[in-house]
Amino acid sequence: MRLDAIDRRILETLQKQGRLSNQELSERVGLSPSACHRRVQRLEEEGYIKGYVALLDPRKLGRTTVVFVEITLSGQADEVLDAFEKAVARVPEVLECHLMAGTADYLLKVVAEDVEDFARIHRRSLATIPGVTGIQSSFALRTVRQTTALPV
């Protein structure tokens, strides 16, 4: 399915304000409510819209420390990669995990309450994953830009 200009406006609008009613969305994109509803359903069915979430404020939840962690593994065999991915998926403080090209095998985005909390996560969760041979952590000093909106 190809996206037309209206589909793109729907996606852009929903990324910024996912709780809009169908009536409000239809007014913003210039469609009747029924036509807008059909388009949103089609975008959901086609997989362009994966789901709807509430974005939480990490500061309100006491998660003020963001750490980017480079992980090096003992090897690149499928079983080593699979075991790591399954284990890291069970660590709730890991918000993102990316398989990388370059010197590190994986890059993680981790949230913690503070440096001591990250030390606990490092010691009890990350360092205990089988196959991990190296961990390099970088602390974010300030978040300059953060968005979940993709360009459409």
Side-chain angles (χ1 to χ4, degrees):
M1 173 182 117
R2 286 188 47 88
L3 298 176
D4 64 15
I6 293 174
D7 291 329
R8 291 179 190 283
R9 281 199 309 266
I10 288 171
L11 292 173
E12 287 171 353
T13 303
L14 286 176
Q15 283 190 104
K16 294 175 185 161
Q17 294 180 293
R19 290 192 61 173
L20 284 177
S21 70
N22 185 62
Q23 178 68 38
E24 292 170 313
L25 180 60
S26 67
E27 290 170 5
R28 290 189 187 197
V29 300
L31 286 177
S32 70
S34 60
C36 184
H37 181 68
R38 284 193 301 274
R39 287 220 187 202
V40 171
Q41 281 185 316
R42 183 173 46 85
L43 290 166
E44 290 170 348
E45 290 167 3
E46 295 283 332
Y48 287 95
I49 299 173
K50 291 174 54 174
Y52 299 89
V53 300
L55 298 176
L56 307 180
D57 184 340
R59 286 190 172 107
K60 295 280 187 184
L61 297 170
R63 304 293 178 154
T64 57
T65 302
V66 176
V67 187
F68 294 93
V69 182
E70 294 179 337
I71 301 287
T72 305
L73 298 178
S74 59
Q76 295 288 310
D78 284 343
E79 57 271 6
V80 175
L81 300 176
D82 290 343
F84 175 81
E85 291 174 10
K86 286 179 182 149
V88 80
R90 292 190 297 269
V91 181
E93 295 88 357
V94 175
L95 299 184
E96 297 178 21
C97 175
H98 304 273
L99 178 62
M100 302 298 289
T103 56
D105 294 308
Y106 286 91
L107 178 66
L108 311 179
K109 180 179 179 183
V110 178
V111 292
E113 294 174 6
D114 51 29
V115 175
E116 291 81 17
D117 187 40
F118 177 71
R120 177 194 57 79
I121 296 163
H122 179 284
R123 186 176 58 254
R124 293 186 186 163
S125 297
L126 303 178
T128 63
I129 297 174
V132 172
T133 59
I135 300 175
Q136 176 68 42
S137 303
S138 299
F139 288 79
L141 299 177
R142 179 169 50 105
T143 299
V144 176
R145 182 173 193 274
Q146 180 178 354
T147 183
T148 61
L150 295 172
V152 289

